[in-house]
Amino acid sequence: MKTTKHALIAATLLALTATSLWAANAPPAGIGRHEALRHDLDAPGKEVVQVRVDFAPGAAFGMHTHPGIEVAYVLEGSLAYTFEDAPPVTLTAGQSLFIPAGTPHAAHNPADTPAAELATYLVEKGKPIVALHPAR
């Protein structure tokens, strides 16, 4: 009986942790993310991940970092990228941006039409792709 009680407590804690992790990693309102590719790289412990990110009009993804580099390619519309330590950049469809590993940045759709980017990450395998950056 004691083992069953401990197993039930462990299962409950695991479920609560999984729910909390899912909620913490859920994209903000107006942001849709679709992982298109995930593949190991030749370098040990590294992988490439491609994600299509859709932004509703006016939607924003707050300050965050990645455990590796990101190349953002705007597929449609325009996106404004802000950085902690660099001037902001606005890109339109067909333009791309290199974001170094660990660089805090945010993205925002300033238009009243949808926008989308293809984000390509070259990252450390097993780490979350997005880490929210605390406000200063």
Side-chain angles (χ1 to χ4, degrees):
M1 182 170 199
K2 192 174 190 179
T3 304
T4 304
K5 184 178 177 182
H6 288 245
L8 181 59
I9 291 170
T12 302
L13 288 174
L14 182 61
L16 288 172
T17 301
T19 301
S20 297
L21 287 173
W22 179 83
N25 291 320
I31 304 289
R33 293 175 60 88
H34 170 75
E35 186 173 303
L37 172 79
R38 182 178 294 259
H39 196 278
D40 289 348
L41 293 173
D42 291 342
K46 302 284 185 178
E47 65 182 348
V48 60
V49 180
Q50 281 194 314
V51 178
R52 179 186 170 106
V53 185
D54 290 288
F55 291 76
F61 199 109
M63 204 57 77
H64 62 282
T65 60
H66 305 288
I69 66 165
E70 175 186 2
V71 177
Y73 176 79
V74 178
L75 297 167
E76 62 184 83
S78 64
L79 291 169
Y81 299 87
T82 56
F83 303 89
E84 269 192 348
D85 301 324
V89 175
T90 299
L91 302 179
T92 57
Q95 294 182 310
S96 60
L97 175 68
F98 178 87
I99 303 170
T103 300
H105 62 285
H108 167 247
N109 177 0
D112 58 1
T113 58
E117 73 172 7
L118 179 64
T120 302
Y121 307 101
L122 302 171
V123 294
E124 294 179 48
K125 190 172 180 174
K127 289 194 174 181
I129 296 297
V130 176
L132 296 180
H133 191 69
R136 288 186 180 194

